[in-house]
Amino acid sequence: MFRKGNCMRVNFQEVLQALEGAGIEIEYYYDTKNQEILMIFDGMINGEYNPELMEEIREGLVTDFIPLPGQYDINEYRMMESFIYELPAGRAQDVLEQAIRGKGAFRRFKDCLYNLGLEKNWYEYRDAAYEQIARNWCEKFGLEIEE
């Protein structure tokens, strides 16, 4: 991370990697003092065992850490729905709409994308959505983006 004057800066690629790596068991926070992104996983912070600090961060007892959007904030399922509804009406839209219903939606969606030749379109759409989420998060917390 970078600091220029009083402005907090964050590496945009690191933010994107954190957003894409977020999951049920993995959380990311931005450390405002050290201007770095921390990964919290299995009682460890960036690979070091520190359950006390981890709990303080999660409980909001220390104010130097800003949570990055997590898996539920990002909601990739909603992203898939938006992608489908932006397609022209027709077979591809119908097939993908059916694919995301029920258990196994993500796998079926990706299989159908491949069969329809739309995987490149999806990943471009998904990447743009993640970039927008990252930019909105940086703006919300007044972090200057270092590209």
Side-chain angles (χ1 to χ4, degrees):
M1 301 308 138
F2 310 93
R3 186 183 270 286
K4 186 176 183 180
N6 290 335
C7 181
M8 289 185 295
R9 298 176 65 108
V10 65
N11 181 292
F12 193 64
Q13 291 306 312
E14 290 179 13
V15 173
L16 285 174
Q17 288 172 354
L19 294 181
E20 291 179 10
I24 293 172
E25 297 180 2
I26 300 174
E27 298 173 272
Y28 290 89
Y29 289 81
Y30 177 72
D31 177 348
T32 60
K33 281 189 177 176
N34 297 310
Q35 296 193 36
E36 65 180 351
I37 294 177
L38 304 176
M39 178 179 71
I40 297 180
F41 172 70
D42 199 25
M44 301 174 95
I45 299 175
N46 285 355
E48 293 182 21
Y49 188 68
N50 194 337
E52 295 83 19
L53 179 57
M54 183 188 75
E55 283 305 312
E56 288 176 359
I57 292 171
R58 284 185 174 155
E59 298 292 324
L61 301 175
V62 287
T63 59
D64 302 325
F65 302 94
I66 302 170
L68 274 81
Q71 171 183 352
Y72 298 109
D73 303 313
I74 295 166
N75 196 340
E76 200 162 311
Y77 185 84
R78 194 171 315 142
M79 247 184 249
M80 292 187 316
E81 286 181 318
S82 297
F83 172 77
I84 292 167
Y85 297 124
E86 287 187 18
L87 291 173
R91 181 178 177 272
Q93 190 181 61
D94 294 342
V95 168
L96 290 171
E97 192 174 36
Q98 184 62 35
I100 65 169
R101 303 296 173 224
K103 190 173 183 170
F106 288 92
R107 175 80 271 154
R108 281 192 311 276
F109 177 76
K110 289 180 181 176
D111 289 344
C112 288
L113 284 172
Y114 178 78
N115 293 336
L116 294 166
L118 292 173
E119 62 270 68
K120 182 180 181 221
N121 302 64
W122 161 247
Y123 286 109
E124 287 173 356
Y125 183 89
R126 181 185 173 276
D127 289 349
Y130 269 92
E131 285 184 23
Q132 190 58 55
I133 292 166
R135 290 187 190 284
N136 291 347
W137 178 80
C138 290
E139 184 179 316
K140 177 180 179 180
F141 292 102
L143 303 174
E144 189 173 320
I145 295 171
E146 181 73 29
E147 296 286 342

